[in-house]
Structures are given as structure tokens and as C-alpha cells.
Amino acid sequence: MEENMEEGQSQKGCSECCIKCLSGIPYASLIATILLYAGVALFCGCGHEALSGTVTILQNYFEVVRSPVDALDVFTMIDILKYVIYGIAAAFFVYGILLMVEGFFTTGAIRDLYGDFKITTCGRCVSAWFIMLTYIFMLAWLGVTAFTSLPVFMYFNIWNTCQNTTVVEGANLCFDLRQFGIVTTSEEKKVCTGTEKFFKMCESNELDLTFHLFVCALAGAGAAVIAMVHYLMVLSANWAYVKDACRMQKYEDIKTKEEQELHDIHSTRSKERLNAYT
């Protein structure tokens, strides 16, 4: 009988511990972090492969040759963009962890788990710093989204023309890289409808795959923007909580001080009355 009671108490203690642990998770920050990681992974992975596909298309169908010297041509810019993608992936992996840690330390459930804590000026400054930094990153991701929409638009025009070859049959349409600033105006690198290169490019897997990879990268950048907005809402709510907790902390300190002073006054008066009686 005693063993059954001890077993029941143990199960109850484990369930209470699990409930406390689950209540200590900042779910809003967790959702924003998952969305951020998914968006960054989609943007970086698809963007990297789309850039590689772009190099293949430029070399095979537009006959663009890599510059033998260290000149700033389109291939050098693509290599730079790939390194930028590596940096974005690493930076936002770390930033997501930092925001999750900030969410853990500012949620009210953590205070219940570890007892009352003191809100320091440093903690308030860290919360304000994260709000400002997240706002800047949100603007940066908006710029990345706008920049990613450019190759999506370019590839959509080519892909749509390939999908409607019977409609454009007889029309002399050309895709000139000089219109997009990819090559200099002195170089004539273009593919026209009705040519062998055009049909080979339309039948190849590179065009279809690269176009859809850029679309996925654009969706990933949009998901990162939504994650940044979500983080801003979470951080603003945490900031409001920290501000209210700081006010409550000051109120409790003043109240405790006044109660201690009243207690000292009553103690002094009681001693004076006792001395006068004796």
C-alpha cells in the first residue's frame, strides 16, 4: 500500500515538473525561430543552387565566357553572392538562438520556475537592442526580397515564352543580356526565338529548375520577413513585460521599505511604553 502511494506521488511529481517545463517554453519565440530557420534555409539553399544553374545557362546557351583576369564580371558577382549566402546562413542561425535565449529569460513562466528575479538596467537595454536590431534586419530582408524578385521576373519571361512557343512562332523575339546589365553594351549576347539555342534551352532541365529554385528562394525571403515581424511583436511584448515588472519591482521595494519603517516605529514605541511602565 505504501509503495503504491509512493509511486503515485512520484508520478504526480513528474507530471508537475513536465507541466512547469512546458509552461516555461516561449512558444511565440519558438514559432518565430522555426519560421526564420525555414525561410533562411529555403532562401540560402535554393538561392545557391539557382545561382549555379544561372552560371550553366549563361555559359551553355548565351555563350558568356568567364573573364580570364580578375575583373568584376557576372560570374565574379555570382561567386560573391554565394559567399554572402554562406554568411547569411551562419549569422541568422546564431541570431535565432540569441532571440530564443532572450525569449526564455523574459517570459513570465521562467520567473515562476526559478523564483522572483531582479530586472536590471542591462536586461532592459538588451531587450531594446534586440528590438532595434530586429527592425533593421526586417528592412534588410525586405530589400533581399525585392532583389530576389528581379531574377524571378527575368526567368519568368523566358520560361513563359518557352511554354508558349506555338504562340510566338513566327515572331522574332530575343532575350538580350545587355537589357539586364549582365554584360557590357559592346557584347552582343542574346538568344532569339526560333533558333536552335532557344529550343535547346527550353527543353533543358536547367531553365525550369533554376526558375523554380528562384521562386522558392523568394518564398524563403518572404518567410524570413514574416519571421522578423513576428519577432518584433514578441520582443515588443517582452519589453512591455520587462517594463511593467520593473515598475512592480520598484513598488514592492518601496512597500517593503515602508512596512519595515512602520515596524521599527511600532517597536520603538512599544519599548518606550514598556520603559515608562517599569
Side-chain angles (χ1 to χ4, degrees), residues 150-256:
L150 297 178
V152 171
F153 175 73
M154 292 165 54
Y155 273 102
F156 174 76
N157 288 333
I158 301 175
W159 180 81
N160 189 45
T161 304
C162 289
Q163 296 298 315
N164 298 279
T165 52
T166 56
V167 178
V168 298
E169 188 176 359
N172 188 20
L173 302 178
C174 294
F175 299 104
D176 196 338
L177 295 182
R178 291 176 296 182
Q179 296 175 335
F180 306 106
I182 297 177
V183 296
T184 59
T185 55
S186 60
E187 299 179 80
E188 187 176 352
K189 302 293 182 182
K190 61 182 180 179
V191 173
C192 298
T193 58
T195 61
E196 184 180 356
K197 288 182 182 179
F198 174 77
F199 289 113
K200 284 184 177 180
M201 182 177 64
C202 292
E203 292 174 357
S204 66
N205 294 326
E206 288 88 357
L207 178 64
D208 188 69
L209 181 61
T210 303
F211 168 61
H212 288 92
L213 283 173
F214 270 120
V215 172
C216 291
L218 179 61
V225 172
I226 296 173
M228 290 292 104
V229 174
H230 197 161
Y231 268 129
L232 278 176
M233 293 189 294
V234 172
L235 290 170
S236 299
N238 289 342
W239 166 257
Y241 165 74
V242 169
K243 189 176 181 180
D244 291 340
C246 182
R247 290 178 179 177
M248 184 61 66
Q249 178 181 308
K250 290 180 180 180
Y251 171 75
E252 292 293 337
D253 291 341
I254 295 173
K255 184 179 178 181
T256 303

Side-chain angles (χ1 to χ4, degrees), residues 77-209:
M77 295 178 64
I78 288 176
D79 291 337
I80 293 173
L81 289 175
K82 287 183 178 180
Y83 285 113
V84 170
I85 285 175
Y86 300 148
I88 289 174
F92 279 93
F93 175 77
V94 176
Y95 191 65
I97 294 176
L98 292 177
L99 289 177
M100 272 298 296
V101 172
E102 198 273 344
F104 269 108
F105 278 102
T106 53
T107 184
I110 294 299
R111 184 188 63 178
D112 296 333
L113 284 174
Y114 296 101
D116 292 335
F117 61 95
K118 293 293 184 180
I119 304 295
T120 60
T121 305
C122 180
R124 296 196 298 272
C125 290
V126 168
S127 296
W129 171 255
F130 273 123
I131 292 175
M132 182 184 70
L133 200 60
T134 303
Y135 184 76
I136 294 173
F137 283 149
M138 184 197 69
L139 296 179
W141 274 110
L142 283 174
V144 170
T145 304
F147 179 76
T148 311
S149 64
L150 297 178
V152 171
F153 175 73
M154 292 165 54
Y155 273 102
F156 174 76
N157 288 333
I158 301 175
W159 180 81
N160 189 45
T161 304
C162 289
Q163 296 298 315
N164 298 279
T165 52
T166 56
V167 178
V168 298
E169 188 176 359
N172 188 20
L173 302 178
C174 294
F175 299 104
D176 196 338
L177 295 182
R178 291 176 296 182
Q179 296 175 335
F180 306 106
I182 297 177
V183 296
T184 59
T185 55
S186 60
E187 299 179 80
E188 187 176 352
K189 302 293 182 182
K190 61 182 180 179
V191 173
C192 298
T193 58
T195 61
E196 184 180 356
K197 288 182 182 179
F198 174 77
F199 289 113
K200 284 184 177 180
M201 182 177 64
C202 292
E203 292 174 357
S204 66
N205 294 326
E206 288 88 357
L207 178 64
D208 188 69
L209 181 61

